């Protein structure tokens, strides 16, 4: 459905192009479309200012480019391309300088193991390695650059992992050791602290900014440091606009307008869900009522529905076993028209589905975060994380078993199991709200406790 600006959408497009603007919207409310329309409008202002639209990964960039074309004054790219491009222009090394998440985890694990061996009586080093990995990621995302700063800060969004102010020094020691070890292996940054490097460089950069206006789409997944970078990169007489949905925040950093450098007196809200039929929208809303759903405060936007009932409720199918489950979904996709997607928890399952679809004669495409082509009619397979911001005619979500969702490895590695459950619920919500027409969910064992079984807005059937 093509969204024509109306109501609050028109109001946002009519705002004076200065300062900071925050727009929060529910899934399917047209945030991306409005971001693109705003970019086009700003680029046509007097003097034809340059406009940057930034989103989280390549797949979203490709999707947005498929929606409409842009004049020369608009640049569309994901954050890390922007960051590396800026550093390169500033004369910094950018080739093979960013360490992978897997290599980062190995270095941190080695440091924690050595510290625990050296100080066996210090209980801090007996905590799960994943706790250190997540805390270091948190420090980087908030731009913490000294122990004093770390000790004094309130750990927004990390209250479920308690660390006393006194014991923060042990975590910071590991962080410092990690940065030193990383540099020794030839890597200058990781994908989180590259934003710190860009921000510090921008502080010293007195040259005119390349972009007068910067627009962020899917902003809920940007770290505070990423947002501070983009604000600092905005022209002094320009504007910074944030489009996001906190209900879809699945990368673990709580939004903080102050920490992100966003200065806004008013938050605009897009409440109308234009994407999902009301049956799917109501089911998605039911999933947010789960006891483990973490969403409080005025930043959550309660959706309203404008698409009339289509007469088809989401379907939950129970199969005899996982093999029948996979075969059943492949069978449902035979001769299926439109844009269809299977959403699973990891790349191993993606590969298994691609093989099964190929054997059945169904051509399918894997969507990764670096996917760089538009979404057209066909069958796609991807993970919960890579489907963000996209939409499809029909969505298939398999393996909703208690032993599979949430992921057991994530539960075992986590110090806070409640956070894993909460994040998994948001992943489920994101997957549900990708569907424009049909939603099929399946399982073959014990249904996950995260499923809203008491919802009246789905139909349960047996697989054949």
């Amino acid at each position: 459905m093509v969204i024509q600006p109306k109501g609050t959408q028109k109001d946002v497009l009519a705002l004076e192009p200065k300062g900071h603007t925050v727009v929060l919207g529910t899934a399917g409310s047209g945030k991306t479309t409005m971001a693109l329309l705003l970019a086009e409008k700003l680029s046509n202002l007097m003097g034809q200012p340059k406009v940057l639209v930034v989103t989280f990964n390549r797949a979203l960039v490709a999707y947005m480019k498929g929606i409409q074309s842009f004049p020369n004054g608009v640049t569309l790219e994901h954050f890390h391309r922007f960051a590396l491009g800026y550093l390169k222009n500033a004369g910094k090394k950018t080739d093979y300088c960013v360490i992978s998440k897997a290599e980062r985890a190995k270095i941190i694990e080695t440091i924690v193991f050595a510290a625990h061996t050296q100080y066996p009586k210090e209980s801090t080093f007996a905590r799960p390695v994943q706790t250190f990995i997540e805390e270091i990621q948190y420090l980087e995302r908030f731009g913490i650059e000294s122990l004093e700063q770390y000790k004094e800060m309130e750990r927004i969004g990390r209250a479920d992992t308690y660390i006393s102010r006194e014991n923060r020094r042990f975590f910071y020691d590991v962080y410092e050791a990690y940065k030193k070890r990383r540099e020794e292996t030839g890597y200058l940054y990781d994908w989180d602290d590259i934003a710190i490097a860009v921000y510090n460089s921008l502080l010293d950069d007195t040259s005119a900014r390349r972009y007068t206006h910067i627009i962020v789409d899917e902003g809920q997944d940007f770290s505070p440091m990423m947002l501070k970078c983009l604000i600092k990169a905005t022209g002094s007489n320009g504007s910074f606009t944030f489009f996001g949905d906190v209900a879809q925040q699945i990368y673990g950093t709580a939004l903080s307008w102050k920490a992100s450098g966003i200065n806004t007196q008013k938050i605009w809200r897009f409440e109308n869900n234009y994407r999902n039929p009301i049956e799917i929208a109501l089911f998605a809303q039911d999933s947010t009522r789960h006891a483990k759903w973490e969403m409080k405060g005025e930043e959550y936007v309660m959706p309203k529905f404008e698409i009339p009932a289509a007469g088809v409720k989401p379907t939950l199918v129970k199969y005899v076993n996982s093999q029948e489950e996979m075969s059943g979904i492949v069978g449902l996709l035979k001769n299926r028209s439109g844009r269809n997607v299977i959403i699973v928890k990891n790349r191993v399952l993606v590969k298994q589905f691609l093989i099964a679809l190929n054997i059945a004669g169904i051509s399918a495409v894997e969507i990764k975060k670096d996917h760089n082509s538009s979404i057209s009619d066909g069958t796609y397979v991807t993970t919960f994380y890579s489907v963000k911001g996209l939409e499809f005619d029909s969505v298939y979500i398999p393996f909703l078993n208690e032993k599979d969702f949430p992921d057991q490895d994530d539960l075992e590695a986590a110090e806070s199991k409640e956070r894993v459950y909460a994040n998994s619920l948001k992943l489920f919500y994101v997957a549900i709200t990708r569907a424009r027409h049909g939603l099929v969910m399946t399982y073959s064992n014990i249904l996950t406790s995260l499923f809203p079984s008491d919802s009246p807005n789905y139909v349960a059937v047996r697989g054949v």
Side-chain angles (χ1 to χ4, degrees):
M1 176 180 290
V2 177
I3 300 175
Q4 298 296 330
K6 55 185 175 179
T8 306
Q9 295 176 338
K10 281 187 175 180
D11 294 339
V12 169
L13 289 178
L15 290 174
E16 184 179 9
K18 288 186 178 181
H20 301 173
T21 299
V22 172
V23 182
L24 298 180
T26 187
S29 61
K31 297 183 298 296
T32 296
T33 302
M34 291 304 107
L36 298 179
L37 288 177
L38 178 61
E40 185 174 21
K41 175 200 166 185
L42 292 173
S43 70
N44 287 323
L45 293 176
M46 185 178 297
Q48 296 184 315
K50 290 187 177 181
V51 181
L52 173 65
V53 182
V54 190
T55 192
F56 201 74
N57 58 43
R58 292 181 187 176
L60 288 174
V61 170
Y63 173 73
M64 294 169 78
K65 286 182 177 179
I67 294 177
Q68 71 178 73
S69 58
F70 297 96
N72 292 332
V74 176
T75 299
L76 176 59
E77 59 190 14
H78 58 85
F79 176 81
H80 291 115
R81 180 168 182 175
F82 157 79
L84 288 170
Y86 174 80
L87 290 173
K88 184 175 183 178
N89 287 335
K92 311 289 185 181
K93 178 185 175 184
T94 56
D95 293 333
Y96 308 105
C97 64
V98 184
I99 196 170
S100 69
K101 289 185 177 180
E103 287 300 316
R104 175 173 69 176
K106 287 180 182 178
I107 290 176
I108 295 173
E109 183 177 15
T110 299
I111 293 168
V112 173
F113 178 79
H116 188 38
T117 301
Q118 186 175 358
Y119 305 105
K121 294 183 179 181
E122 176 48 58
S123 60
T124 298
F125 297 121
R127 298 177 78 160
V129 172
Q130 188 62 29
T131 302
F132 285 87
I133 294 172
E134 291 175 358
E135 190 70 5
I136 287 173
Q137 185 178 56
Y138 181 84
L139 292 174
E140 293 176 332
R141 290 181 174 182
F142 275 80
I144 304 304
E145 296 189 88
S146 72
L147 177 58
E148 291 71 24
Q149 188 182 7
Y150 181 32
K151 282 185 175 181
E152 291 174 3
M153 75 177 296
E154 296 297 330
R155 294 168 61 253
I156 301 168
R158 291 282 287 166
D160 55 353
T161 304
Y162 177 73
I163 300 173
S164 69
R165 292 186 188 273
E166 177 60 30
N167 284 347
R168 291 184 190 184
R169 61 190 175 94
F170 297 118
F171 283 87
Y172 202 80
D173 285 345
V174 173
Y175 179 35
E176 292 279 82
Y178 154 68
K179 288 190 292 184
K180 181 179 179 182
R181 188 78 57 84
R182 182 185 70 192
E183 190 169 345
E184 289 171 351
T185 59
Y187 295 104
L188 301 178
Y189 323 105
D190 59 40
W191 292 117
D192 288 303
D193 75 352
I194 194 172
I196 299 175
V198 174
Y199 181 75
N200 288 335
S201 183
L202 282 164
L203 287 176
D204 297 328
D205 187 350
T206 58
S207 62
R209 297 301 189 233
R210 179 177 181 182
Y211 300 104
T212 304
H213 307 284
I214 293 182
I215 301 168
V216 174
D217 187 46
E218 297 292 342
Q220 72 277 353
D221 291 330
F222 284 64
S223 72
M225 276 310 306
M226 290 178 182
L227 296 174
K228 287 179 74 173
C229 277
L230 294 169
I231 290 171
K232 187 61 68 175
T234 302
S236 58
N237 294 319
S239 66
F240 173 85
T241 307
F242 174 105
F243 288 90
D245 176 10
V246 292
Q248 298 185 57
Q249 188 175 40
I250 58 177
Y251 287 98
T253 301
L255 277 175
S256 168
W257 307 127
K258 182 178 179 181
S260 302
I262 297 176
N263 181 20
T264 183
Q265 301 301 314
K266 179 178 181 179
I267 296 177
W268 298 83
R269 287 174 169 77
F270 290 172
E271 299 174 326
N272 293 316
N273 182 335
Y274 299 98
R275 177 192 299 142
N276 308 127
I278 193 167
E279 292 86 358
I280 293 175
L282 288 172
F283 179 75
Q285 191 168 311
D286 291 339
S287 73
T288 70
R289 297 191 177 100
H290 195 285
K292 294 189 183 298
W293 177 270
E294 290 183 355
M295 185 55 60
K296 300 177 182 178
E298 63 179 16
E299 290 169 353
Y300 176 59
V301 180
M302 182 63 72
K304 296 178 181 179
F305 315 115
E306 291 211 350
I307 297 179
V312 180
K313 288 184 176 182
T315 303
L316 175 68
V317 186
K318 182 174 183 179
Y319 287 94
V320 175
N321 54 50
S322 60
Q323 290 78 18
E324 291 294 324
E325 189 174 357
M326 183 174 287
S327 297
I329 290 178
V330 171
L332 290 173
L333 284 164
K334 283 187 176 180
N335 303 316
R336 186 81 180 180
S337 61
R339 294 175 296 176
N340 308 287
V341 66
I342 302 170
I343 305 173
V344 292
K345 68 179 181 180
N346 57 41
R347 295 290 165 193
V348 173
L349 293 175
V350 168
K351 297 298 183 187
Q352 290 177 6
F353 263 109
L354 289 173
I355 292 171
L357 289 163
N358 183 60
I359 291 173
I362 301 173
S363 178
V365 176
E366 177 181 3
I367 298 176
K368 298 181 181 180
K369 293 176 186 177
D370 58 356
H371 185 79
N372 58 8
S373 61
S374 60
I375 306 297
S376 55
D377 285 0
T379 299
Y380 299 85
V381 189
T382 190
T383 66
F384 288 99
Y385 286 97
S386 294
V387 80
K388 289 217 59 182
L390 308 179
E391 63 178 36
F392 299 85
D393 295 309
S394 296
V395 170
Y396 300 82
I397 311 174
F399 308 129
L400 291 175
N401 303 298
E402 184 67 23
K403 67 182 180 64
D404 298 315
F405 194 78
D407 186 271
Q408 293 302 304
D409 291 338
D410 290 344
L411 283 173
E412 291 176 7
E415 187 165 352
S416 171
K417 290 179 172 48
E418 293 302 306
R419 174 54 59 86
V420 175
Y421 281 111
N423 286 346
S424 296
L425 269 172
K426 287 191 177 182
L427 291 170
F428 186 50
Y429 174 86
V430 168
I432 292 168
T433 55
R434 301 308 96 197
R436 295 189 61 192
H437 300 299
L439 173 62
V440 176
M441 302 158 288
T442 68
Y443 72 111
S444 60
N445 197 287
I446 299 173
L447 183 63
T448 175
S449 59
L450 296 182
F451 190 90
S453 300
D454 58 349
S455 168
N457 297 304
Y458 75 97
V459 175
V461 300
R462 290 275 181 173
V464 294

